[in-house]
Each structure stands twice: as C-alpha cells, then as structure tokens.
Amino acid sequence: MALYEYVTQDQLAGFDKYKYSAVDSNPLSVYVMHPFWNFVVKFLPTWLAPNLITFTGFMFLVLNFLMLAFYDFDFTASAAGHEHVPSWVWVLAGIFNFLAYTLDGVDGKQARRTNSSTPLGELFDHGLDSWACIFFVATVYSIFGRLESGVGVATLYYILWVVLFSFILSHWEKYNTGILFLPWGYDISQVTISLVYLVTAVVGVETWYQPILWHFLYRDLFSFMIIACSFTVTLPMSLINVLKAHHSKTLKHSSLYEAFLPFLSPVLLFVLSTIWVVFSPSGILELQPRIFYLMVGTAFANVTCKLIVCQMSNTRCQALSWLLLPMTPVVLLAVTGVVANETLLLYLWTAAVILAHIHFGLSVVQQLSSHFGILAFSLKKSNTD
C-alpha cells in the first residue's frame, strides 16, 4: 500500500499508454558523450538496476553540496582574506560532478540494455534532475563566493531562478508537444563545470579574481553565460518547438490558458520567495543564503515533479501546488515580523519542504512500482500483483 495516493487512477492509466519520445540535437551530446556512455555502460553488470544508477549519480551531487557546505557554508571561503576550500575538495567536486553526469547519461542505456525500461525509470530520472538543480548551482557558487571578488547572494538568487525556469521549460514543451527536447546547455555546463572544479584545485580561487578583459571578471562570465544561454538558446528553442506543434496541429492543449497552466505554480513560488527576500526584516538571504536556496530549489522540484507526472500520463496539470498554501502564511509571518526569529522559521520551513518532497517522491515511486509490478532498485519482479 502506498504512503499516499499522489498518482490518480487516470494518471496510472495514462502511464500504461506512455511511450518515451525525446530529441537530442546537441553536437557535444550526440558526437562525444553518447559514444562515451555507450562505452561505459558495457562495464556495468547486467543485474544493476537503472534506477540505482540514477540515484547514485544524484547522491554524488548531494555529496558535493554537503562537502562544500561544510567548508564554505556561507559562501565566503573563496574571498580574499578568508580560509579557502582545500584543493582536494575541488578535485573531489570535479570527479563527483562528472560521475553524476556520466551516471545520468548511462542509466537509460542500462535500462535498454537489460530490457527494463519503464515510465517509472524516466520519472525517477527527471524527478531527481529537477532537485539536482539546486545542489549543482549552490556548489558552483562556492568557486566565486559572495564577497568583493564574487557574486552577490541576491544576484545568485535570480540566477538560480533562471536555471530553474530553464529546466522546467523542457517539461513544459513536452506537456504541450508530447516530445522532450533535451536542452543544449545541460551537457555543455556539466563538462565545463567539472573542468573548472579541477582547474580551481590546481590554480587556486585567487585566479578567478583576475579580470579576463579590462574589468570583465570570470564571475561576470559565469553569470553572463547562464543568462545568455537561457534567453538566447533555451527559451527561443522552447517557444519555437511549441509554435511548430501549434502550426502542425499537434499541440496537446488548444487554449492559451491550458498551455501555460504549468507555469502558474512556479511563478507563484517565485513571487512568494522573492517577497520574503525583498521584505525580510533581518535580511534573511544575507544571513542564510544556502538554506534559502535549498528551500526554494526543493519546493521548485516538488512543483516540477507534479508537472512531469502530468505530462507523462497525458493528464491536465494541477493548477496550484498544495505546498504553496502553507508557504503563504510562512512568508507573511516572516515579512511582518510576527515571528521574531526569522532564521529559525526558515530552518523549520525548509525541513518541512524537504520532508514533504521526500514523502511525495517515495509515495509516487511506491505507487508506480506496485502498479507495474516491479521493484524500484532491482531488476527482479515484485511479488505483489
């Protein structure tokens, strides 16, 4: 019996009819990474479940996040005059990041190799990817930090939202077209960041203080690349793909409201969290940037996972995520100063969001495992009907 029935009977019926359809046109992915992943997957034992590979890769990113949180909790370690993160930590960060990327690339190939592809596997993969956004961004942030030579915590907050919306665009496309168009920026960013971690271990964070050209710093390049990639590649390609589906009359949702419904909850989450940032009496983002990013990223992942369930089961997107309902009074309590200890409120709400998201994930996995008669982390069949 599932922990809670998060997936409706209509959605379960939709999963029974689901067929994976994706387009990956990125030259780096097609000509370099896929051949590499095809080579790597041959070394994996055939008894190894694809979902276990997916989860292991995700945990490497969580490990990176925790490791950098230990050495650089408040994102000041890379600044001049502060005790820097040890070089070996950057080496491990680079290795772990590339391992996570590699495992994310081979899990699907292992599923096809062992004839164990299921909708649960895809949902598990993309669901963890949505949560991985925050662990990836927060860990990268430690390279530059937040002080004179770094990026302000408010700037990083908005950059985080650019990354989050770039991620959800792919699933919004699929919700409307039935096809997952894999974004180009993902592969490029993963390879680049893995290398930057390793380079940082060799040359030290002081290297990133130096301007590339005139007064243009590496931190500016970091911000520019993320924003430019999102607004000049990811967003235009998403809109073009949806418009093509509209012109070819293959668009799944005819009305503008239904087509853009998946953005309602993410936009409301952005509004609520930004109100907290802007009107916080204690300047909560300056005090606790890491925890605030974690709260926002986890809440976003919860909203996105619900969209992924809807697009895979070909059902209507939920208009409002229930998680936003208790978040509204939490934000009001914070910004009005009713709760004196704003940091404690943030920690309690972050814990609640994480627990709610983990419960949601476990429940959905348990429901789909039971429905398909499979085990999530084993290739053996479930004994239950």
Side-chain angles (χ1 to χ4, degrees):
M1 186 173 179
L3 297 171
Y4 184 81
E5 299 293 325
Y6 279 106
V7 182
T8 66
Q9 291 303 311
D10 286 344
Q11 289 174 330
L12 289 174
F15 275 111
D16 288 333
K17 303 171 187 175
Y18 178 74
K19 299 292 181 186
Y20 179 62
S21 180
V23 174
D24 188 356
S25 58
N26 181 6
L28 174 62
S29 176
V30 173
Y31 297 111
V32 179
M33 299 316 302
H34 276 290
F36 173 67
W37 296 331
N38 287 330
F39 171 76
V40 171
V41 76
K42 294 175 184 177
F43 294 93
L44 299 180
T46 53
W47 53 260
L48 186 60
N51 288 343
L52 193 56
I53 297 172
T54 305
F55 186 70
T56 302
F58 171 75
M59 289 309 296
F60 275 123
L61 294 179
V62 174
L63 183 58
N64 266 358
F65 176 83
L66 295 175
M67 186 168 61
L68 267 297
F70 180 79
Y71 285 100
D72 184 26
F73 185 79
D74 58 357
F75 302 109
T76 58
S78 289
H82 287 71
E83 185 178 352
H84 297 329
V85 173
S87 295
W88 64 265
V89 173
W90 295 121
V91 173
L92 286 182
I95 293 171
F96 290 166
N97 194 80
F98 190 75
L99 281 174
Y101 173 50
T102 301
L103 293 176
D104 191 40
V106 302
D107 53 5
K109 296 182 184 297
Q110 176 76 346
R112 289 183 286 275
R113 178 175 175 240
T114 56
N115 197 28
S116 59
S117 297
T118 66
L120 173 60
E122 183 185 340
L123 177 62
F124 193 72
D125 187 358
H126 296 312
L128 289 180
D129 284 345
S130 68
W131 203 5
C133 289
I134 177 55
F135 300 117
F136 168 66
V137 172
T139 305
V140 170
Y141 188 28
S142 283
I143 295 174
F144 303 99
R146 63 190 283 191
L147 300 181
E148 298 83 6
S149 58
V151 179
V153 290
T155 301
L156 198 279
Y157 168 76
Y158 294 109
I159 289 175
L160 171 62
W161 270 108
V162 171
V163 173
L164 297 180
F165 272 110
S166 296
F167 180 88
I168 206 172
L169 271 174
S170 297
H171 296 285
W172 171 73
E173 279 180 84
K174 193 176 181 186
Y175 178 74
N176 284 288
T177 66
I179 302 170
L180 181 65
F181 296 90
L182 299 171
W184 282 29
Y186 173 69
D187 297 280
I188 296 168
S189 65
Q190 291 300 310
V191 172
T192 302
I193 292 302
S194 297
L195 290 173
V196 169
Y197 284 141
L198 297 176
V199 169
T200 303
V202 176
V203 301
V205 293
E206 295 87 355
T207 301
W208 310 124
Y209 299 170
Q210 307 304 317
I212 306 170
L213 188 65
W214 294 301
H215 298 292
F216 192 73
L217 302 174
Y218 284 100
R219 68 176 184 194
D220 303 319
L221 180 63
F222 162 73
S223 304
F224 174 78
M225 285 180 64
I226 291 175
I227 296 169
C229 183
S230 297
F231 286 99
T232 64
V233 179
T234 307
L235 179 60
M237 288 180 71
S238 294
L239 294 174
I240 289 169
N241 289 329
V242 171
L243 285 173
K244 282 181 180 178
H246 174 70
H247 289 308
S248 62
K249 301 189 184 304
T250 58
L251 201 63
K252 289 180 171 289
H253 306 280
S254 54
S255 76
L256 203 62
Y257 172 77
E258 290 295 333
F260 283 90
L261 187 60
F263 285 126
L264 180 58
S265 286
V267 168
L268 286 175
L269 175 60
F270 170 73
V271 170
L272 284 172
S273 58
T274 304
I275 286 173
W276 194 347
V277 167
V278 173
F279 297 103
S280 167
S282 64
I284 194 65
L285 194 60
E286 291 288 338
L287 287 175
Q288 296 290 339
R290 185 176 292 274
I291 302 303
F292 199 91
Y293 299 149
L294 179 59
M295 180 273 291
V296 168
T298 305
F300 172 85
N302 188 258
V303 169
T304 305
C305 284
K306 291 169 183 174
L307 168 60
I308 296 171
V309 168
C310 292
Q311 54 100 336
M312 288 184 67
S313 60
N314 198 25
T315 53
R316 186 174 184 266
C317 181
Q318 182 183 5
L320 183 67
S321 174
W322 71 264
L323 195 63
L324 300 178
L325 299 177
M327 184 172 177
T328 303
V330 168
V331 172
L332 287 175
L333 287 172
V335 300
T336 56
V338 172
V339 176
N341 194 334
E342 199 177 349
T343 295
L344 178 61
L345 179 64
L346 173 63
Y347 272 72
L348 291 173
W349 175 240
T350 302
V353 170
I354 292 171
L355 290 173
H357 186 52
I358 290 174
H359 181 268
F360 168 79
L362 289 174
S363 299
V364 171
V365 168
Q366 193 172 337
Q367 269 189 272
L368 289 178
S369 296
S370 177
H371 179 73
F372 288 111
I374 58 176
L375 299 172
F377 294 110
S378 172
L379 294 179
K380 295 177 182 178
K381 296 294 183 182
S382 172
N383 294 323
T384 58
D385 294 327

